[in-house]
Amino acid sequence: MARVAVIGGGISGLGTALMLGRRGHTVTLFEQEARQAGEDLDRDFYHWGRARVPQAVQPHSLLAPVRTVLRAETPDVYADLLARGAREYHEFDWFGEHPTHRAGDEDLVTLRTRRIVLEAALVAAVRRERTVNVRRGCRVRALGMEKGRPARVSPARVTGVQVGADTHRADLVIDASGRRSPVPAWLIAAGCRPPVVDSHRTGLAYLCRWYRLRADGPRDPGRVKTGSAAPFALAGVFPSDNDAFAVNLVLSTGDPTRGALTDPAVFEAAARRFPATAAWLDLAPEPQSAVLAMAGLDNRWTALADGAGPVVTGLVNAGDSLIHTNPTLGHGAALGLRAAQYLAAHVDQIAADPSGYHAWTAHALRPWFDAQVTADRTNEQRLAESSPLSDRRAAALAACAFDDPVIMRARAQVRHLLRPAHDAYGTDEVDRHLIAWLAAHPDFSPQHDGPTRDQWDTLVSG
Ligand SMILES: Cc1cc2nc3c(=O)[nH]c(=O)nc-3n(C[C@H](O)[C@H](O)[C@H](O)COP(=O)(O)OP(=O)(O)OC[C@H]3O[C@@H](n4cnc5c(N)ncnc54)[C@H](O)[C@@H]3O)c2cc1C
């Protein structure tokens, strides 16, 4: 059984610690923040200024791997998540009646919930786990390294973490400290070969506002998609737990109207110009928050291995510190928990030699990072230049999915990280269905359903 130290108690750190602990390993989790998600979800969500985890208040869609990993590894946590108000949404729910079942359809489920609900369920489970010791309010300030090894030639070995004046020894340290991980800088300072970082800045800005449906008010927005688009902005609604939902706008960081949108009245007027978000605002919900903005995000892959193999042993990274994806596709928690599951299953080998873990991440996680980078390049350019939609096939597939379950299945398999796009969409069956749909919609041309730029500028400046 391994002794493991986990740096960071976010979704990835908590999930990894829990899954390791359940397999009998001895785990110590260090989290710099003293406060933890508890029983009062609204207080923790709306009234906890979390400068170190600013994404915590942004809307989240939890994709299929979150559900499948939790149900396989920690079914009690999954049940607790639902008991706390998270809701399952199957992609075929759009059609009312589901099509004839095919293997794998059962997994095409989004968990609709605020991130805090997942955190609270994980925190509660970790607290019950005898093998996991959580040390809150403890910032890891350095790594413990084996003495006397020429780090640049053969990899140095990490032997633990330093917290205050103490050194905590471990067979394996897992860096789950998030997108601002200090670990790469520590390794370089220790004389290791540098981690290989692939970083792409995305010029996208996110603005959201939280609402709650009134207990005595209307509750059904009707059969409306959760996303809409203008040439220069995307709008989305995130139905969540306990009648909470978020309205979200995404635009280029260079958009001159970005600042004005932090005014709730302007934000709401703008959101009302998109069918997806207007349908939910028409339910007269109660606002729960200010307009919460975030920008300046990267897509960043941080490999603790280079062409010559691991740059260090006794240490691996997981979650955002390994793969930080810009959130337009909502991959973060799913990729973090997939890594947690793999780490828990293979920890003894990884403690001895992390090469297998690095190979697995490159094979199982990296393609989703590359897909996000490609999607963001397209989105970023389109929003910055207000370009018209030009890819007729892609636009037709997107529209057709909401009429045809075969296309919806392919779309959902990609969205939920189950099949790459070229595989899911590249079948004869998808081609046949798309051709039939286009024949039935001869006038189809790619179109936005949001406002024009003139309408937008008028309402934002007015
Ligand atoms: C706008 C936005 C929207 C998003 N939407 C989605 C979505 O729809 N779906 C989805 O799945 N994901 C989404 N994400 C991504 C998701 O939030 C992240 O992938 C996820 O929170 C990462 O979890 P983590 O545990 O890896 O890191 P974090 O949650 O950042 O946790 C890291 C923890 O480590 C602690 N820490 C850091 N340094 C130290 C140290 N030295 N010592 C001790 N503790 C330390 C921090 O305090 C923190 O608690 C979104 C992100 C953003 C920004």
Side-chain angles (χ1 to χ4, degrees):
M1 287 294 156
R3 278 170 315 162
V4 182
V6 177
I7 311 175
I11 303 295
S12 309
L14 288 165
T16 306
L18 183 62
M19 291 178 217
L20 282 165
R22 295 246 168 129
R23 283 176 159 83
H25 302 289
T26 305
V27 185
T28 308
L29 182 151
F30 297 91
E31 167 55 51
Q32 63 189 347
E33 172 69 59
R35 181 170 166 180
Q36 63 184 11
E39 299 309 315
D40 188 334
L41 294 174
D42 282 350
R43 192 197 57 207
D44 289 343
F45 190 68
Y46 296 118
H47 306 294
W48 178 5
R50 303 176 75 175
R52 289 161 174 158
V53 198
Q55 76 273 24
V57 289
Q58 294 289 328
H60 280 59
S61 278
L62 301 180
L63 301 178
V66 174
R67 176 172 173 269
T68 48
V69 170
L70 291 181
R71 289 200 339 158
E73 301 289 331
T74 57
D76 54 318
V77 175
Y78 190 70
D80 188 21
L81 198 54
L82 298 183
R84 288 171 192 263
R87 291 180 304 136
E88 295 186 331
Y89 176 82
H90 195 289
E91 300 290 345
F92 289 153
D93 290 350
W94 171 260
F95 300 110
E97 196 176 319
H98 286 206
T100 307
H101 181 83
R102 287 195 194 166
D105 282 355
E106 65 280 6
D107 289 335
L108 305 177
V109 176
T110 304
L111 275 174
R112 292 178 159 181
T113 179
R114 290 170 292 171
R115 182 187 181 276
I116 195 77
V117 180
L118 174 56
E119 256 186 293
L122 286 169
V123 163
V126 165
R127 256 205 319 245
R128 291 192 299 270
E129 207 57 48
R130 288 232 194 105
T131 46
V132 182
N133 177 20
V134 178
R135 294 186 51 191
R136 292 199 164 269
C138 287
R139 191 175 77 83
V140 174
R141 62 171 185 82
L143 297 168
M145 309 286 285
E146 199 172 77
K147 296 268 180 314
R149 281 222 204 183
R152 285 196 160 265
V153 183
S154 64
R157 180 156 193 94
V158 170
T159 55
V161 294
Q162 292 183 10
V163 180
D166 299 336
T167 300
H168 178 90
R169 291 186 69 81
D171 304 316
L172 182 67
V173 174
I174 297 174
D175 172 22
S177 66
R179 69 195 167 98
R180 295 186 189 128
S181 169
V183 166
W186 291 342
L187 292 176
I188 292 168
C192 298
R193 301 195 309 277
V196 180
V197 180
D198 187 3
S199 185
H200 306 256
R201 173 108 322 199
T202 62
L204 298 174
Y206 300 83
L207 297 116
C208 81
R209 191 176 192 210
W210 285 93
Y211 297 85
R212 189 181 298 282
L213 294 172
R214 290 174 202 273
D216 55 352
R219 317 179 64 72
D220 183 6
R223 196 162 174 268
V224 60
K225 294 178 192 173
T226 52
S228 289
F232 49 87
L234 308 173
V237 63
F238 288 70
S240 298
D241 60 285
N242 299 299
D243 287 342
F245 72 89
V247 166
N248 191 48
L249 296 177
V250 181
L251 49 161
S252 166
T253 44
D255 194 300
T257 58
R258 202 176 123 201
L261 288 166
T262 54
D263 176 336
V266 177
F267 177 86
E268 204 167 298
R272 283 186 182 280
R273 301 306 296 251
F274 295 88
T277 39
W280 285 77
L281 291 171
D282 284 349
L283 300 175
E286 287 175 276
Q288 303 290 307
S289 74
V291 178
L292 308 168
M294 233 180 133
L297 297 169
D298 296 336
N299 284 304
R300 191 173 343 107
W301 177 268
T302 306
L304 302 185
D306 59 16
V311 299
V312 70
T313 63
L315 169 78
V316 290
N317 53 3
D320 275 17
S321 57
L322 162 68
I323 173 172
H324 173 236
T325 44
N326 182 54
T328 42
L329 303 179
H331 287 171
L335 295 176
L337 289 181
R338 268 195 182 162
Q341 184 180 38
Y342 187 91
L343 283 166
H346 301 91
V347 67
D348 291 319
Q349 296 104 292
I350 297 169
D353 177 1
S355 304
Y357 178 69
H358 297 313
W360 176 80
T361 60
H363 163 75
L365 307 184
R366 177 75 199 214
W368 301 110
F369 174 81
D370 294 335
Q372 180 77 59
V373 171
T374 306
D376 284 341
R377 277 207 192 108
T378 312
N379 263 337
E380 198 182 324
Q381 186 178 359
R382 191 169 71 71
L383 296 178
E385 297 171 5
S386 288
S387 330
L389 295 168
S390 55
D391 187 340
R392 187 163 187 267
R393 180 181 153 86
L397 279 170
C400 174
F402 291 87
D403 289 338
D404 184 334
V406 165
I407 310 289
M408 179 62 97
R409 177 181 289 114
R411 175 186 184 271
Q413 289 169 337
V414 178
R415 172 170 148 73
H416 288 282
L417 311 167
L418 302 173
R419 281 174 88 184
H422 62 84
D423 194 14
Y425 287 122
T427 66
D428 291 346
E429 185 186 40
V430 165
D431 271 349
R432 275 199 316 277
H433 280 251
L434 182 61
I435 289 165
W437 187 86
L438 282 167
H441 299 81
D443 299 331
F444 173 76
S445 67
Q447 263 167 16
H448 295 107
D449 57 356
T452 64
R453 186 76 215 192
D454 285 347
Q455 289 168 335
W456 178 268
D457 285 338
T458 306
L459 80 88
V460 173
S461 61

